[in-house]
Amino acid sequence: MWLLRLLAILTVLAVAGGVAAYLITGERKYLRFSFVLVRYAIGVALAFFALLIIERVAIIPF
């Protein structure tokens, strides 16, 4: 779980860095990078939470 928290923190820092670079330079490639990173991060988070819900709901006999 600590690995997921670390990845979340690094993602937030990368997005903030991209937005800051856009604000400093005015080049839209940094803003585009931030949006792409946010899109992928949301997709990965949704997939992870879906797996957690499936694991919780599914009755898997052992």
Side-chain angles (χ1 to χ4, degrees):
M1 199 56 112
W2 63 270
L3 181 63
L4 292 174
R5 289 181 183 155
L6 179 65
L7 287 175
I9 290 170
L10 290 176
T11 302
V12 169
L13 289 175
V15 169
V19 171
Y22 167 71
L23 291 174
I24 292 171
T25 64
E27 293 186 35
R28 295 194 54 86
K29 68 179 180 180
Y30 298 117
L31 195 58
R32 192 175 325 116
F33 165 75
S34 294
F35 283 133
V36 169
L37 191 60
V38 165
R39 218 178 316 156
Y40 281 123
I42 289 173
V44 169
L46 287 176
F48 176 74
F49 290 130
L51 287 175
L52 282 179
I53 290 170
I54 290 171
E55 178 183 298
R56 188 99 169 155
V57 172
I59 301 171
I60 304 172
F62 282 104

